[in-house]
């Protein structure tokens, strides 16, 4: 009987996790299932375990480079790097850090473009683990819902805080907003500098990379597309 109760409670917990929240909004699990994934293997490690392992591995890297970890300036660097990776710059790998979403009913019947420009977009190139530093412009045409404006910035930040390629990052932001808002009319443009281009290889410090994902009217209606692209002026 105890086993049956245990199985039933697990099933109930899973059903609760998969269900909509009380206000009808989707759960984080549902949102992320509708966003194209970052290549990941779930290793079951806690954040503290990850920090401990990265500290150990980064110590090896620094010692291999010939750095003196007895020096008071370098002694704590491996753990500083580990905590930064897990808690900050790669925080977007942790579903628990997904921002709380606030959407409201579109009682205003607003049916025009909403645009948030010049959103700071800091990420890491997954090929060389060097920064990607740029700006995003995000737009959508509401259907039945509108979203708190700061939530758009937070979505950009969340998916930026992963090892990334700019193309995937652009599409993840659009996937997320389409699902949360229930509208196909979403567009994202990112213009960024890649430090893997600036600091190694060609060592070009002046070039930037632009990516865009335009869906719905932003893709099919020329006037909507042109209006959006007018908002996408680069800042470099």
């Amino acid at each position: 009987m105890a086993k049956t109760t245990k199985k039933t409670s697990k099933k109930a917990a899973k059903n609760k996790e998969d269900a909509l929240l009380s206000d009808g909004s989707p759960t984080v699990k549902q949102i992320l299932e509708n966003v194209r994934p970052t290549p990941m293997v779930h290793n079951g490690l806690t954040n503290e375990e990850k920090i401990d392992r990265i500290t150990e591995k980064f110590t090896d890297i620094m010692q291999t480079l010939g750095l003196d970890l007895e020096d008071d300036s370098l002694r704590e660097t491996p753990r500083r790097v580990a905590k930064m990776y897990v808690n900050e710059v790669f925080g977007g790998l942790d579903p628990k850090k997904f921002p709380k979403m606030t959407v409201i009913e579109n009682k205003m019947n607003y049916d025009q473009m909403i645009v948030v420009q010049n959103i700071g977009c800091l990420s890491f190139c997954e090929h060389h683990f060097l920064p990607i530093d740029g700006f995003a412009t995000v737009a959508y045409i509401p259907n039945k819902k509108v979203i708190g404006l700061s939530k758009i910035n937070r979505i950009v930040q969340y998916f930026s805080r992963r090892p990334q390629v700019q193309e995937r990052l652009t599409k993840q932001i659009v996937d997320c907003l389409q699902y949360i808002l229930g509208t196909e009319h979403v567009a994202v443009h990112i213009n960024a500098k890649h430090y893997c281009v600036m600091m190694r290889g060609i060592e070009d410090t002046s070039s930037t990379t632009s990516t865009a994902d335009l869906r719905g009217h932003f893709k099919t209606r020329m006037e909507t597309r042109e209006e959006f692209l007018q908002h996408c002026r680069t800042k470099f």
Side-chain angles (χ1 to χ4, degrees), residues 60-186:
D60 289 344
I61 290 172
M62 293 181 68
Q63 288 173 338
T64 301
L65 289 171
L67 295 169
D68 180 8
L69 288 179
E70 296 300 316
D71 186 272
D72 61 355
S73 181
L74 298 175
R75 190 179 302 126
E76 295 300 319
T77 296
R79 192 158 189 84
R80 279 194 292 262
V81 170
K83 290 170 70 175
M84 175 186 71
Y85 277 180
V86 173
N87 296 330
E88 296 174 298
V89 298
F90 298 139
L93 296 173
D94 185 352
K96 294 177 183 176
K97 292 183 181 291
F98 189 83
K100 183 179 179 182
M101 289 293 102
T102 303
V103 295
I104 61 171
E105 184 182 346
N106 185 16
K107 296 176 183 177
M108 305 76 67
N109 295 319
Y110 190 86
D111 61 358
Q112 302 298 308
M113 189 184 305
I114 297 172
V115 186
V116 182
Q117 298 169 277
N118 302 325
I119 301 171
C121 183
L122 275 171
S123 190
F124 261 68
C125 163
E126 68 184 36
H127 298 147
H128 298 97
F129 271 45
L130 286 170
I132 300 170
D133 181 8
F135 297 92
T137 299
V138 178
Y140 73 99
I141 299 172
N143 183 15
K144 295 180 180 180
K145 302 174 186 175
V146 293
I147 193 170
L149 293 179
S150 70
K151 305 306 180 184
I152 293 177
N153 302 58
R154 293 184 187 279
I155 288 170
V156 172
Q157 183 186 55
Y158 178 78
F159 290 107
S160 297
R161 295 304 173 97
R162 299 177 171 190
Q164 279 287 16
V165 292
Q166 189 171 321
E167 296 89 341
R168 184 195 303 124
L169 171 59
T170 306
K171 287 186 170 291
Q172 286 177 334
I173 297 166
V174 179
D175 290 343
C176 184
L177 283 167
Q178 275 195 313
Y179 182 72
I180 290 171
L181 291 168
T183 177
E184 61 179 319
H185 312 303
V186 180

